[in-house]
């Protein structure tokens, strides 16, 4: 008896189907529903929501005393998060790609913070920042630098950047590993050929290593960008958006509006604005990098 | 055909049997509440449930305990589903329990109040919120808390303060004396917004008086044209700049309490529950308390309620369970587990300490209360109230700007 086998394409679709169904139910449908909710008013308790047109967007953009601060924080955080941690990670990857003694151990040490849950990172750093008993102020006192003592998480000028330092500590390892993987994929033959042609260390790095790392850099930047725009857990764990909402971020403000204040429409509107910002930044960048790599 | 008929008969029989077994017994009640603040509270719940189940064969009570924010979020998510609780805990103010009552998610309990005689059994002051939002009665009081100023006797003595302040002016004079002695008057934790809010609440009560304070909180008075509102923000700024242990915006209430125990500040504005917490950590004799001298004669406090969900399939059983929980015998046996005082007026207090007795006297002396701002306002206004308080306390907003921000938010929300 002959058994008919599926064409490879059909087989591919069959294998994709379960994942696609899960994706449609748990990712695509909620996304569409959030857009619908952003045009309605619902407190989570009433039986029905009420269609309010663009009102949620109008209120969020013109009357919400927190939204613009959260937007500015999100932009600043994103700019910092795609540059500083990645530059440090790149430097670490270059260093740890050399033949160093205890290289494996050092890699593990720098990667370790990545495996700690964000909320645990927040707790650790909150204690270190404690203005009375924390590590930083204790060290400053011990070193005779009492004038430098700060309310790291209570001063609105410092709080966001204090949280960012904790984020930097916990995220550098992830980018470092990606860069390391990229560096190990750089062809040794090309490097040796360049050296034979008389290229120095900088020239090899600039004209061989860096171009070969292009796809890795793209991935790292896109992941950093997306993660930064949706920054939530570490800020929530360290300051909860305070003091006086000065460390509030768009993703957290959307959650606060919906889940804590029961204003699902406004929360959805903030989410949609965040989604649009993300798409506006990420899609052109991805298209540009794809076009470059195809060329 | 015959096979189909046999299958239908079998299925029908099974369905009837299943229905009989389910109807005759197996009633399940779900209770959603907070994780107990002290172990005694969790133990009391476990024992009460065990006893009730033993006395009512076939009844199972499933209790789900969560932290504050998780509890609020879970209740909101489950509000319109059939997966919610039969009985739920909530603070009784407008922005919390009141919102659920107004949304029709709490079952009216008038019939049960009459059936079980709860009105005669419960403290009138604790029952104040049962009819606050509708004409029907909703919820039963679970605990009732008052808030006052705890002070460190040794630090008061060190600053030469010989008597407890009886007026706001005397309190400010005491704060000045403490400052002169190098002692911060109060300690607060700014990360939990509700802690510093307490100071603003009592200042508003002091500066505005009961009626105007209530009007401001009810959002019927204009914050910008009511002079005492601006004056209160100015007072808050003064307390923050001169009389609160700094820095305070980066610490929470628990850290603030530890600093209070470590003699770093002289006073703390806390609830009756602090008596137990101090007793566990330090000799209680070193501390005393007085009511914040607002001059209105009202006690600062709040109530926590248990509500029966309007979606409960077993409201009678839920009421029966609440009746057992509120009974004289259970409340007497678990005295202190749910709060310093019981909501049951028949409970007798014997061998209580000085501080507990002081609270009992305070509750007996006060017939009127004013509630915490986060219970008086709707949730969104509470969030803005927190923000404005923190901005004024940090000197980032002037008192006038604070009042204007509050009024602008209230006007915009319509």
């Amino acid at each position: 008896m002959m058994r008919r086998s599926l064409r490879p394409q059909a087989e591919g679709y069959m294998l994709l189907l379960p994942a696609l169904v899960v994706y449609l139910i748990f990712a695509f449908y909620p996304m569409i529903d959030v857009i619908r909710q952003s045009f309605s008013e619902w407190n989570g308790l009433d039986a029905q929501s009420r269609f309010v047109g663009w009102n949620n967007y109008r209120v969020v953009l013109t009357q919400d005393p927190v939204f613009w601060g959260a937007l500015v924080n999100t932009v600043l955080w994103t700019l910092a998060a795609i540059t500083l941690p990645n530059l440090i990670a790149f430097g670490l990857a270059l260093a740890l790609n050399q033949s160093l003694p205890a290289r494996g151990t050092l890699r593990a040490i720098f990667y370790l913070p990545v495996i700690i849950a964000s909320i645990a990172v927040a707790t650790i750093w909150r204690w270190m920042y404690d203005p009375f008993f924390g590590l930083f102020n204790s060290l400053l006192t011990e070193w005779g630098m009492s004038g430098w003592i700060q309310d790291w998480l209570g001063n609105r000028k410092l709080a966001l950047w204090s949280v960012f330092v904790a984020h930097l500590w916990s995220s550098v390892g992830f980018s470092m590993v990606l860069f390391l993987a990229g560096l190990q994929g750089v062809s040794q033959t090309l490097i040796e050929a360049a050296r034979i042609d008389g290229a120095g260390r900088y020239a090899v790095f600039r004209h061989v290593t860096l171009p070969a790392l292009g796809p890795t850099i793209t991935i790292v930047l896109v992941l950093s960008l997306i993660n930064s725009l949706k920054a939530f857990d570490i800020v929530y764990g360290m300051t909860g958006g305070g003091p006086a909402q000065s460390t509030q971020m768009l993703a957290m403000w959307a959650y606060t509006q919906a889940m804590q204040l029961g204003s699902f429409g406004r929360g959805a509107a903030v989410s949609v604005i965040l989604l649009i910002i993300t798409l506006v930044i990420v899609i052109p960048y991805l298209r540009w990098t794809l076009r470059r790599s195809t060329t | 055909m015959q096979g189909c008929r046999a299958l239908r008969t079998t299925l029908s029989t099974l369905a009837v049997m299943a229905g009989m077994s389910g109807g005759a017994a197996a009633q399940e009640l779900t209770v959603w509440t907070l994780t107990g603040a002290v172990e005694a509270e969790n133990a009391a719940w476990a024992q009460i449930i065990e006893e009730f189940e033993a006395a009512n064969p076939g009844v199972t009570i499933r209790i789900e305990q969560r932290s504050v924010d998780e509890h609020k979020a879970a209740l909101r998510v489950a509000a319109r589903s059939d997966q919610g609780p039969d009985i739920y805990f909530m603070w009784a103010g407008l922005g919390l329990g009141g919102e659920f009552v107004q949304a029709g998610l709490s079952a009216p309990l008038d019939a049960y109040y009459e059936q079980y005689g709860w009105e005669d059994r419960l403290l009138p002051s604790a029952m104040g919120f049962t009819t606050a939002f509708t004409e029907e009665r909703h919820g039963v009081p679970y605990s009732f808390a008052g808030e006052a100023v705890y002070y460190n006797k040794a630090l008061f003595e060190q600053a030469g303060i010989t008597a407890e302040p009886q007026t706001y002016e005397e309190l400010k004079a005491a704060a000045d004396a403490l400052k002169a002695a190098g002692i911060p008057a109060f300690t607060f934790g700014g990360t939990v917004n509700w802690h510093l809010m307490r100071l603003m609440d009592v200042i508003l009560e002091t500066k505005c008086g009961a009626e105007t304070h209530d009007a401001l909180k009810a959002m019927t008075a204009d914050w910008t044209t009511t002079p005492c509102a601006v004056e209160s923000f100015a007072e808050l700024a003064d307390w923050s700049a001169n009389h609160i242990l700094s820095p305070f915006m980066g610490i929470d209430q628990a850290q603030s309490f530890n600093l209070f125990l470590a003699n770093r500040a002289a006073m703390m504005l806390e609830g009756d529950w602090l008596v137990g917490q101090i007793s566990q950590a330090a000799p209680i004799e070193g501390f005393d308390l007085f009511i914040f001298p607002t001059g209105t004669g009202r006690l600062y406090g709040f109530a926590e309620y248990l509500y029966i969900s309007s979606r409960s399939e077993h409201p009678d059983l839920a009421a029966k369970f609440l009746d057992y929980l509120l009974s004289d015998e259970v409340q007497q046996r678990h005295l202190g587990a749910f709060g310093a005082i019981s909501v049951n007026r028949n409970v007798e207090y014997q061998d209580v300490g000085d501080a507990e007795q002081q609270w009992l006297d305070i509750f007996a002396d006060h017939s009127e209360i004013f509630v915490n701002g986060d219970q008086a306002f709707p949730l969104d206004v509470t969030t803005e109230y927190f923000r404005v308080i923190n901005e004024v306390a940090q000197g980032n907003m002037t008192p006038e700007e604070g009042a204007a921000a509050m009024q602008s938010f209230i006007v915009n929300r319509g």
Side-chain angles (χ1 to χ4, degrees), chain A residues 16-278:
Chain A
L16 271 178
L17 191 63
L20 189 65
V21 169
V22 170
Y23 177 82
L24 287 174
I25 294 172
F26 293 107
F28 189 71
Y29 167 71
M31 207 160 69
I32 299 300
D33 198 49
V34 162
I35 295 170
R36 182 195 61 78
Q37 272 189 38
S38 72
F39 293 102
S40 65
E41 190 178 275
W42 187 51
N43 63 6
L45 303 179
D46 293 337
Q48 299 294 329
S49 60
R50 193 166 61 89
F51 179 76
V52 293
W54 292 95
N55 192 50
N56 288 325
Y57 291 95
R58 184 186 63 78
V59 170
V60 163
L61 295 171
T62 63
Q63 294 176 358
D64 187 335
V66 178
F67 173 79
W68 288 103
L71 178 64
V72 169
N73 286 344
T74 306
V75 170
L76 291 176
W77 178 282
T78 303
L79 289 174
I82 56 175
T83 50
L84 285 175
N86 292 332
L87 283 174
I88 295 171
F90 193 57
L92 284 173
L94 286 174
L96 293 172
N97 200 38
Q98 309 297 318
S99 311
L100 298 172
R103 188 171 68 167
T105 312
L106 286 169
R107 282 178 182 174
I109 287 171
F110 285 113
Y111 186 71
L112 200 63
V114 178
I115 63 170
I116 303 175
S118 295
I119 211 71
V121 172
T123 307
I124 293 166
W125 280 80
R126 217 173 50 219
W127 275 107
M128 292 200 290
Y129 280 134
D130 185 290
F132 291 95
F133 311 111
L135 176 72
F136 297 120
N137 283 355
S138 300
L139 285 176
L140 288 170
T141 309
E142 207 166 296
W143 295 338
M145 299 165 72
S146 304
W148 289 70
I149 283 179
Q150 297 291 338
D151 188 5
W152 302 102
L153 298 175
N155 179 340
R156 63 175 301 144
K157 290 177 185 147
L158 289 176
L160 186 68
W161 302 111
S162 302
V163 178
F164 183 77
V165 171
H167 166 74
L168 189 144
W169 177 78
S170 69
S171 62
V172 157
F174 182 70
S175 301
M176 181 197 77
V177 165
L178 292 179
F179 282 130
L180 266 174
L183 283 169
Q184 281 160 19
V186 178
S187 165
Q188 287 302 313
T189 316
L190 278 178
I191 291 175
E192 278 165 26
R195 280 186 184 146
I196 290 165
D197 288 345
R201 282 171 73 91
Y202 175 75
V204 170
F205 173 75
R206 170 72 183 80
H207 298 289
V208 180
T209 310
L210 212 51
L213 280 177
T216 309
I217 292 170
T218 304
I219 288 168
V220 169
L221 289 181
V222 168
L223 287 178
S224 305
L225 189 70
I226 293 170
N227 285 334
S228 312
L229 286 168
K230 63 179 191 180
F232 180 102
D233 39 13
I234 197 158
V235 187
Y236 186 81
M238 287 183 74
T239 63
Q245 308 288 7
S246 62
T247 58
Q248 194 59 261
M249 310 288 273
L250 280 187
M252 199 163 78
W253 190 232
Y255 169 83
T256 306
Q257 285 282 344
M259 300 308 295
Q260 294 188 340
L261 306 184
S263 184
F264 283 81
R266 300 232 179 114
V270 175
S271 298
V272 171
I273 291 170
L274 179 59
L275 177 69
I276 291 168
I277 293 170
T278 310

Side-chain angles (χ1 to χ4, degrees), chain A residues 63 65, chain B residues 197 200-201 204 213 215-226 229-230 232-233 236 373-374 376-392 397-414:
Chain A
Q63 294 176 358
Chain B
M197 173 205 70
M200 184 62 192
D201 285 345
L204 276 170
H213 181 195
L216 286 168
K217 290 284 172 66
M219 300 178 290
T220 53
D222 189 319
W223 284 68
T224 50
T225 56
T226 306
V230 176
S232 298
F233 277 122
L236 175 74
D374 55 355
F377 282 128
L379 283 171
D380 56 337
V381 184
T382 296
T383 306
E384 180 65 356
Y385 186 50
F386 287 159
R387 186 182 75 87
V388 172
I389 287 171
N390 290 341
E391 293 284 33
V392 172
M397 259 187 193
T398 64
E400 289 77 14
E401 287 169 344
M406 279 301 293
Q407 189 56 32
S408 161
F409 189 86
I410 289 165
V411 168
N412 283 337
R413 75 189 294 276

Side-chain angles (χ1 to χ4, degrees), chain B residues 340-391:
Chain B
I341 65 155
S342 167
V343 293
N344 183 315
R345 66 165 79 175
N346 301 323
V347 163
E348 290 174 9
Y349 297 87
Q350 290 161 345
D351 302 326
V352 293
D354 289 345
E356 283 96 345
Q357 186 57 52
Q358 225 173 327
W359 270 114
L360 292 174
D361 295 340
I362 288 169
F363 284 120
D365 291 345
H366 290 81
S367 56
E368 286 184 272
I369 66 164
F370 66 102
V371 297
N372 295 32
D374 55 355
Q375 297 215 23
F377 282 128
L379 283 171
D380 56 337
V381 184
T382 296
T383 306
E384 180 65 356
Y385 186 50
F386 287 159
R387 186 182 75 87
V388 172
I389 287 171
N390 290 341
E391 293 284 33

Side-chain angles (χ1 to χ4, degrees), chain B residues 2-17:
Chain B
Q2 276 201 336
C4 280
R5 196 176 298 146
L7 181 64
R8 271 205 301 270
T9 310
T10 311
L11 287 174
S12 305
T13 311
L14 283 172
V16 169
M17 283 170 68

